[in-house]
């Protein structure tokens, strides 16, 4: 009997139509995915990350711009009910996180949901998922880098009394020419990553603790100005506004899956990856809801519109002093930088896996023998994301990232059900409860959140997917390593 995870041998009598269909649906066996873990051109990735470091990577990738910057965009959409919107977005992420945890423990490789799709739904679906991940990770790096510049200006203004000119802190379309701070923070993250995964993880852990301290400081100061009356009209824009705000706030949860991209550098991936994913999501959700609750309690929801560096502005207003806002801005500068670092890490590892499979150029799969990192990959991705951050407005970046992430998450939920059907015998270190119920709910929540996004976001997404499919049929399909192995 043929292994259900292995594509059947090629039938020489097959018609061109059936041969093309087989090419699109060929699956990479789970055993082969795991066996190739860490292997790259010229070297191998090093297993050096503990469960604690994996958790910090997920928190580092998640906790940042969503609460420091995007909160100011979501409150005008939902009013005080933004706290519920955070819970809604967190619930959407939770169902998908359960699916990620099961697959990460079963298929502990660097490709994350791209690799999961390759093992369950075939090459073309895997490519689509990988292309969505490029949108999720690559564009979110740029979006986060833009938010970093807002807090840098707040810090400079509070410490030395100067700010960078708008021409150098905003992209075209937002009143600027070139967002220099956004480019700088991406380059700094690149330099950390070039030093090695372990060194980058240590730096990220320090920055995560700075985040915790910054948000704890905000909550302590914010409670001073807390007014329960700010919640009297809890849903001024109606119940549907919660879904609209939740779709945008889903951007705040992007990154909890970053641990899954470290599958080939974790010391004990089958045990530690599921734990890191779930623990990081629970910690981040609790912090988001608490900070949002304090923020709306301290400020009337109508004041959030068109406010940069929202949390710092609230602290300044509550205390009547700029010192506290400046202190928070300093913490935010470090906190948001860790998001850039960890998400950039995840992006390079996904491209590493796709390169190993032959679907993107080999340069992304080359590993430096001394540091055990994909150096060329890191430099190329960093420079691309840095210049993207310097030239594209934040609002469009956030929405485009959300839809790409939701689509990839939806596929992960499907992958769990498919793998259970195809390979029920596999050893799973973590298993989602209630059979297919939670994965189906995860898919439904993702689909609903995608539905609530604006039509222009769908247009951008459609153009991105069309470009990706053209690249696949012109390049990836022909150079696929799996295709050459099956000849």
């Amino acid at each position: 009997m043929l292994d259900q995870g292995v594509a059947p041998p090629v039938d020489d009598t097959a018609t061109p139509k059936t041969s093309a269909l087989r090419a699109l649906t060929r699956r990479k066996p789970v055993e082969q995915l795991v066996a190739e873990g860490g292997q790259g051109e010229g070297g191998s990735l090093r297993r050096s990350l503990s469960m604690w470091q994996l958790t910090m990577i997920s928190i580092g990738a998640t906790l940042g711009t969503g609460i420091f910057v995007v909160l100011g965009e979501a409150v005008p959409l939902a009013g005080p009910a933004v706290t519920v919107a955070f819970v809604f977005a967190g619930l959407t992420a939770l169902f998908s996180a359960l699916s990620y945890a099961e697959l990460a423990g079963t298929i502990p490789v660097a490709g994350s949901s791209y690799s999961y799709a390759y093992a369950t739904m075939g090459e073309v679906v895997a490519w689509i998922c990988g292309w969505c991940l490029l949108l999720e990770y690559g564009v979110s790096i740029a979006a986060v880098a833009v938010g970093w510049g807002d807090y840098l200006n707040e810090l400079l203004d509070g410490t030395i009394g100067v700010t960078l000119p708008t021409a150098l802190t905003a992209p075209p379309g937002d009143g600027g020419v070139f967002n220099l701070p956004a480019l700088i923070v991406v380059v700094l993250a690149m330099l950390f990553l070039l030093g090695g995964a372990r060194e980058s993880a240590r730096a990220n852990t320090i920055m995560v603790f700075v985040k915790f301290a910054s948000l704890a400081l905000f909550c302590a100061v914010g409670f001073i100005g807390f007014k329960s009356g700010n919640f009297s009209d809890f849903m001024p824009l109606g119940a549907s506004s919660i879904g609209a705000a939740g779709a945008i706030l889903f951007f705040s949860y992007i990154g909890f899956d970053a641990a899954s991209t470290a599958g080939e550098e974790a010391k004990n991936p089958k045990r530690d990856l599921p734990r890191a994913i779930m623990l990081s999501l629970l910690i981040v959700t609790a912090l988001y809801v608490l900070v949002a609750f304090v923020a709306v309690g301290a400020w009337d929801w109508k004041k959030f519109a068109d406010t940069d560096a929202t949390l710092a502005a609230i602290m300044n207003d509550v205390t009547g002093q700029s010192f506290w806002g400046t202190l928070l801005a300093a913490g935010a500068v470090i906190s948001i930088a860790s998001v850039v670092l960890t998400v950039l890490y995840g992006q390079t590892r996904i491209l590493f896996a796709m390169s190993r499979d032959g679907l993107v150029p080999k340069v992304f799969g080359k590993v430096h023998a001394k540091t055990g990192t994909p150096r060329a990959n890191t430099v190329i991705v960093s420079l691309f994301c840095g210049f993207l951050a310097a030239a594209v407005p934040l609002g469009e970046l956030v929405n485009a990232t959300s839809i790409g992430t939701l689509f990839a998450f939806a596929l992960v939920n499907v992958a769990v059900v498919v793998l259970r059907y195809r390979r029920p015998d596999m050893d799973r270190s973590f298993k989602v409860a209630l059979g297919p119920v939670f994965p189906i709910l995860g898919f439904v929540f993702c689909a609903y959140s995608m539905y609530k996004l604006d039509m222009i976001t769908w247009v951008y997404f459609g153009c991105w997917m069309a470009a990706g499919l053209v690249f696949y049929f012109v390049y990836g399909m022909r150079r696929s390593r799996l295709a050459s192995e099956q000849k």
Side-chain angles (χ1 to χ4, degrees), residues 164-170 176-182:
L164 296 173
T166 303
L168 295 179
T169 57
V177 176
F178 191 82
N179 195 325
L180 183 60

Side-chain angles (χ1 to χ4, degrees), residues 148-443:
W148 184 82
D150 294 335
Y151 277 97
L152 178 64
N153 249 348
E154 186 79 17
L155 177 60
L156 292 174
D157 184 39
T159 53
I160 60 177
V162 299
T163 58
L164 296 173
T166 303
L168 295 179
T169 57
D174 278 354
V177 176
F178 191 82
N179 195 325
L180 183 60
L183 176 60
I184 289 174
V185 71
V186 175
V187 172
L188 289 174
M190 176 190 75
L191 296 176
F192 272 109
L193 291 175
L194 291 176
R198 180 188 297 176
E199 291 73 13
S200 300
R202 288 173 178 169
N204 172 66
T205 299
I206 294 172
M207 289 189 278
V208 168
F209 276 100
V210 172
K211 292 187 193 193
F212 290 157
S214 299
L215 294 176
L217 173 66
F218 170 79
C219 291
V221 174
F223 269 121
I224 297 174
F226 192 89
K227 301 180 182 66
S228 59
N230 287 344
F231 291 92
S232 58
D233 188 7
F234 189 67
M235 288 190 292
L237 302 173
S240 63
S241 65
I242 294 175
I248 289 179
L249 287 174
F250 188 79
F251 175 82
S252 307
Y253 291 91
I254 293 173
F256 76 81
D257 57 323
S260 67
T261 66
E264 296 174 23
E265 290 163 285
K267 292 178 180 178
N268 191 344
K270 293 182 74 66
R271 182 196 67 186
D272 293 342
L273 289 178
R275 295 180 181 181
I277 290 170
M278 297 308 302
L279 182 59
S280 63
L281 183 63
L282 292 174
I283 292 172
V284 166
T285 301
L287 280 172
Y288 279 165
V289 174
L290 175 61
V291 172
F293 177 75
V294 174
V296 176
W299 247 18
D300 183 273
W301 70 272
K302 296 176 184 177
K303 296 175 67 174
F304 282 80
D306 302 319
T307 302
D308 294 327
T310 305
L311 300 189
I314 292 174
M315 292 181 75
N316 289 340
D317 191 36
V318 168
T319 62
Q321 301 176 15
S322 62
F323 169 77
W324 296 104
T326 301
L327 190 59
L328 182 75
V333 166
I334 297 173
S335 301
I336 296 175
S338 78
V339 180
V340 177
L341 174 67
T342 48
V343 176
L344 185 60
Y345 167 85
Q347 173 72 299
T348 59
R349 272 43 180 186
I350 290 167
L351 279 168
F352 172 83
M354 296 176 75
S355 174
R356 185 170 55 205
D357 292 332
L359 301 184
V360 298
K362 290 183 178 180
V363 66
F364 293 102
K366 292 182 178 179
V367 177
H368 191 269
K370 184 177 180 181
T371 62
T373 61
R375 277 194 169 183
N377 178 345
T378 301
V379 172
I380 293 170
V381 172
S382 299
L383 294 180
F384 173 79
C385 293
F387 281 102
L388 185 65
V392 181
L394 175 62
E396 299 303 331
L397 286 172
V398 172
N399 293 336
T401 302
S402 293
I403 195 169
T405 305
L406 287 164
F407 192 84
F409 284 8
L411 290 179
V412 168
N413 287 295
V414 174
V416 168
V417 178
V418 172
L419 189 61
R420 284 196 184 186
Y421 171 75
R422 292 187 182 278
R423 300 293 302 275
D425 58 310
M426 289 195 68
D427 178 40
R428 292 167 169 82
S429 59
F430 176 87
K431 198 169 183 179
V432 181
L434 300 181
V437 175
F438 281 173
I440 291 172
L441 286 174
F443 178 87

